[in-house]
Amino acid sequence: DAKTTQPPSMDCAEGRAANLPCNHSTISGNEYVYWYRQIHSQGPQYIIHGLKNNETNEMASLIITEDRKSSTLILPHATLRDTAVYYCIVRVDEGAQKLVFGQGTRLTINP
Amino acid sequence: AAGVIQSPRHLIKEKRETATLKCYPIPRHDTVYWYQQGPGQDPQFLISFYEKMQSDKGSIPDRFSAQQFSDYHSELNMSSLELGDSALYFCASSPITSGGNYEQYFGPGTRLTVT
């Protein structure tokens, strides 16, 4: 699986958009970008994933650059409950593929 | 909606004892994954099962074994426990056979403390 690079920590004001970057310059053509988050000591939670098109769901939006070497997770209106560690993971979408968690970004939402 | 169930939620054992952690996947999920998260660490993959067969293996000690049963639940057996085994153990499940929907859903975890 491709290696990802994320900033170790970020802060965002409550109600503002939180934009979390991820670099994955060695991503292969068949690898997807997945985002998970882990709120303190809870099980990681799936957020969103994509291959090359931008994606949006009820939780977030995922913007993938045209060359697919980086992406941004957007939480449009961050709340205090969005404080968590956010993991960007790239993996092929086939079979029982494990998740390889890297360092992640510790996002703190401030009131 | 039903979620992944793990039991027990907390477990305290002494060194050299054994422990069994159980995982009940979401209904109609046929793949189970186990992850270990030490204090201040990121989750690390241990082992996975698809249709009751081991599908992948990570950094799981030889003292640990796991299996998936006919009802798809899974058990992680840990023997000769060491202090370093103290961690959160997460189970996740995913529906491999649902046409490309491969996201994993995690349980609340079992917190194992070895004294």
Side-chain angles (χ1 to χ4, degrees):
Chain A
D1 291 338
K3 179 177 173 60
T4 62
T5 304
Q6 299 177 250
S9 64
M10 291 182 64
D11 285 86
C12 180
E14 187 178 18
R16 304 297 293 269
N19 297 278
L20 291 88
C22 178
N23 287 320
H24 31 80
S25 58
T26 59
I27 192 170
S28 301
N30 64 342
E31 287 183 314
Y32 286 69
V33 180
Y34 276 76
W35 283 84
Y36 282 77
R37 73 179 181 183
Q38 186 175 27
I39 297 170
H40 181 63
S41 294
Q42 296 182 21
Q45 177 188 23
Y46 165 80
I47 301 173
I48 198 168
H49 76 284
L51 182 62
K52 53 185 177 181
N53 297 321
N54 297 338
E55 302 287 345
T56 295
N57 63 20
E58 65 278 5
M59 289 183 68
S61 294
L62 174 60
I63 309 297
I64 302 174
T65 58
E66 193 168 341
D67 63 7
R68 302 210 322 124
K69 293 185 177 182
S70 66
S71 60
T72 301
L73 177 74
I74 302 173
L75 307 179
H77 305 287
T79 71
L80 298 179
R81 287 175 294 181
D82 292 322
T83 293
V85 178
Y86 287 76
Y87 294 98
C88 169
I89 299 169
V90 295
R91 61 190 283 256
V92 294
D93 236 10
E94 61 183 38
Q97 294 291 320
K98 63 181 179 286
L99 295 172
V100 179
F101 291 87
Q103 174 186 292
T105 295
R106 184 173 297 276
L107 175 67
T108 302
I109 307 300
N110 300 306
Chain B
V4 175
I5 297 171
Q6 291 188 246
S7 68
R9 294 292 309 278
H10 301 271
L11 190 59
I12 300 175
K13 292 286 186 178
E14 295 187 355
K15 284 192 302 184
R16 293 179 288 277
E17 286 191 318
T18 61
T20 297
L21 279 55
K22 297 184 179 183
C23 170
Y24 297 86
I26 292 171
R28 293 182 295 282
H29 283 198
D30 50 14
T31 302
V32 168
Y33 311 78
W34 286 96
Y35 294 83
Q36 178 191 56
Q37 186 172 27
Q41 304 292 313
D42 301 306
Q44 298 295 315
F45 170 74
L46 291 178
I47 196 167
S48 62
F49 292 87
Y50 167 58
E51 282 292 342
K52 292 151 279 184
M53 299 288 289
Q54 180 181 308
S55 56
D56 197 1
K57 194 171 182 180
S59 50
I60 182 170
D62 292 340
R63 300 177 289 107
F64 294 7
S65 65
Q67 58 181 321
Q68 185 180 32
F69 295 85
S70 58
D71 64 351
Y72 296 108
H73 94 272
S74 178
E75 295 184 3
L76 177 65
N77 300 292
M78 311 159 71
S79 63
S80 303
L81 287 169
E82 302 174 356
L83 296 178
D85 296 328
S86 295
L88 270 169
Y89 290 83
F90 291 107
C91 171
S93 71
S94 67
I96 289 300
T97 54
S98 65
N101 197 21
Y102 299 125
E103 55 260 34
Q104 295 179 22
Y105 296 86
F106 284 76
T110 293
R111 182 176 294 280
L112 172 66
T113 302
V114 181
T115 62

